[in-house]
């Protein structure tokens, strides 16, 4: 009998498998080249191949583009979304619900001298400078300027710090450390919504439609990533951005910590809040983003859980001390 062609579904599955194998082979070759020219790997190639599974974001890309305040996340579990961006870049969004009031988390993230006690992958955390900011009633901005210039003008009037940080990680079996000098600014009234993502519809497009178009928007300084959490309640933000003359591993790194109350998720009269981080990363040309995106996602999730644990343990200890008095 002549051979019959496979059913369409089976043929499509075979094509997908071949395509996947080609992608893995391409990444293995890239890892080999990068390891030989920059680092000395600690493990053999088969370990590097196994680690490539860490760079598959099929599930995280299915996470919603926004977290709605009307829904509560699984207690203690972070959620993640990864989006491609032009020019060797990624936008990564992560969030976690914490059984604490917003003020506790704000105090932890603005205690710059002690961040390394909370964030597990920080090898170096040097406070180079503290910015006092100006009173909020004295903040001014020139509305005739472009939106990113308005954001820069506002940021320079906010309280904050300049930090030199080095983060350590193991990427595809290779010891890797990323250094960067960051400008950190505090927005107690929330970051201005220049891109109008708080609006359900803007210029005829829904919020989700605009988020889909967002993958084509290149990274630009002081045009911070859109928020992962949308809330009608008061939010506080902290922006972090690599300095323009920074010589670290990232061409650009800028992100937004957002803190919002979650009264609908609190139990037994306690407090609840949501902590999210939206970050844009663009490594130098010699460092393909595909190699490090998985590590960044894992570290970001670990950082969120570490902040949650630190805050909740601190609150529990405070209650025990108060009860013993």
């Amino acid at each position: 009998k002549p051979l019959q062609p496979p059913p369409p579904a089976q043929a499509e599955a075979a094509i997908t498998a071949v395509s996947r194998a080609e992608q893995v082979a391409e990444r293995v070759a890239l890892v080999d080249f990068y390891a030989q020219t920059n680092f000395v790997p600690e493990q053999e190639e088969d370990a590097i191949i196994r680690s490539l599974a860490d760079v598959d974001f099929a599930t995280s890309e299915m996470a919603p583009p926004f977290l709605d305040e009307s829904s509560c996340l699984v207690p203690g579990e972070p959620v993640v979304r990864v989006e491609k961006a032009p020019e060797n870049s990624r936008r990564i969004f992560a969030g976690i619900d914490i059984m604490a009031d917003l003020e506790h988390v704000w105090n932890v993230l603005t205690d710059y001298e002690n961040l390394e006690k909370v964030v597990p992958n920080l090898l170096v955390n040097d406070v180079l400078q503290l910015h006092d900011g100006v009173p909020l009633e004295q903040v001014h901005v020139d509305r005739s300027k472009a939106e990113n210039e308005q954001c820069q003008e506002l940021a320079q009037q906010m309280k904050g710090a300049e930090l030199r940080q080095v983060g350590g990680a193991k990427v595809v079996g290779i010891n890797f450390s990323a250094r960067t000098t960051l400008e950190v600014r505090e927005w107690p009234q929330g970051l201005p919504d220049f891109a109008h993502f708080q609006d359900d519809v803007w210029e005829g497009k829904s919020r989700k439609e605009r988020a889909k178009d967002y993958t084509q928007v290149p990274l630009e300084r002081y045009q911070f990533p859109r928020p992962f959490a949308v809330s009608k309640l008061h939010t506080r933000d902290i922006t972090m951005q690599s300095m323009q003359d920074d010589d670290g591993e990232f061409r650009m790194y800028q992100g937004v910590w957002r803190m919002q109350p979650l009264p609908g998720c609190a139990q037994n009269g306690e407090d609840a809040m949501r902590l999210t981080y939206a970050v844009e990363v663009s490594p130098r040309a010699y460092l393909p983003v595909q190699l490090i995106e998985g590590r960044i996602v894992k570290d970001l999730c670990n950082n969120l859980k570490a902040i949650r644990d630190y805050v909740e343990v601190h609150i529990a200890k405070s209650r025990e001390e108060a009860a013993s008095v």
Side-chain angles (χ1 to χ4, degrees), residues 14-304:
I15 293 172
T16 301
V18 171
S19 176
R20 178 67 174 171
E22 290 175 346
Q23 292 175 12
V24 170
E26 182 180 351
R27 289 189 177 183
V28 170
L30 190 58
V31 169
D32 285 346
F33 172 77
Y34 191 74
Q36 291 168 10
T37 55
N38 292 276
F39 293 112
V40 178
E42 291 185 347
Q43 302 179 32
E44 297 300 325
E45 181 177 307
D46 61 341
I48 295 175
I49 293 174
R50 285 197 301 271
S51 71
L52 291 173
D54 297 340
V55 197
D56 183 0
F57 294 113
T59 55
S60 66
E61 287 177 347
M62 293 169 60
F66 299 95
L67 298 181
D68 194 311
E69 62 187 345
S70 63
S71 59
C72 305
L73 303 180
V74 176
E77 292 299 321
V79 295
V80 183
R81 178 181 178 85
V82 179
E83 295 178 355
K84 293 182 179 180
E87 301 174 347
N88 191 41
S89 306
R90 290 290 185 270
R91 289 186 175 96
I92 302 172
F93 306 84
I96 194 169
D97 287 357
I98 301 175
M99 298 302 106
D101 64 287
L102 186 151
E103 193 73 23
H104 268 94
V105 180
W106 175 268
N107 290 339
V108 168
L109 293 179
T110 55
D111 184 9
Y112 304 117
E113 292 88 351
N114 293 299
L115 283 177
E116 73 276 6
K117 297 178 182 178
V118 184
V119 179
N121 70 324
L122 266 186
L123 303 179
V124 175
N125 178 59
D126 293 334
V127 180
L128 305 180
Q129 186 177 359
L130 291 174
H131 303 295
D132 294 332
V134 302
L136 290 179
E137 63 272 14
Q138 297 179 21
V139 173
H140 63 277
V141 63
D142 184 351
R143 299 289 183 183
S144 66
K145 292 182 178 180
E147 290 180 345
N148 63 319
E149 293 176 339
Q150 290 183 46
C151 186
Q152 180 178 6
E153 185 178 350
L154 287 169
Q156 291 172 348
Q157 301 172 72
M158 297 295 162
K159 187 178 179 181
E162 185 177 318
L163 308 177
R164 185 177 72 89
Q165 295 185 338
V166 178
K170 182 169 288 188
V171 181
V172 291
I174 301 166
N175 282 334
F176 172 76
S177 63
R179 69 191 189 282
T180 185
T181 303
L182 295 167
E183 175 194 330
V184 183
R185 297 289 180 170
E186 301 171 16
W187 305 79
Q189 303 299 319
L191 189 67
D193 185 26
F194 289 112
H196 300 280
F197 276 107
Q198 289 293 120
D199 298 319
D200 293 332
V201 178
W202 177 256
E203 294 184 343
K205 286 190 174 183
S206 69
R207 184 186 293 123
K208 288 187 177 181
E209 288 174 328
R210 285 178 285 136
K212 187 175 181 180
D213 296 340
Y214 204 54
T215 58
Q216 306 303 316
V217 177
L219 276 57
E220 184 176 353
R221 290 184 63 79
Y222 290 102
Q223 187 173 300
F224 289 98
R226 72 172 193 272
F228 193 28
V230 177
S231 175
K232 295 182 177 65
L233 299 176
H234 171 69
T235 62
R236 294 189 192 181
D237 296 326
I238 299 172
T239 57
M240 307 183 76
Q241 183 183 78
S242 56
M243 304 294 286
Q244 193 156 12
D245 58 351
D246 184 50
D247 62 352
E249 280 69 32
F250 293 102
R251 177 183 68 85
M252 185 182 295
Y253 178 103
Q254 60 182 8
V256 181
W257 289 102
R258 168 156 291 188
M259 285 144 275
Q260 68 179 83
L262 285 177
C265 298
Q267 297 179 355
N268 302 323
E270 297 185 352
D271 295 303
M273 62 84 63
R274 177 164 295 160
L275 175 64
T276 59
Y277 191 54
V279 63
E280 298 174 330
V281 294
S282 183
R284 302 286 181 186
Y286 61 77
L287 181 57
V289 71
Q290 296 94 327
L291 293 183
I292 63 171
E293 57 185 352
R295 188 69 254 178
I296 292 173
V297 167
K298 284 191 172 184
D299 285 345
L300 181 51
C301 289
N302 288 337
N303 291 347
L304 286 171

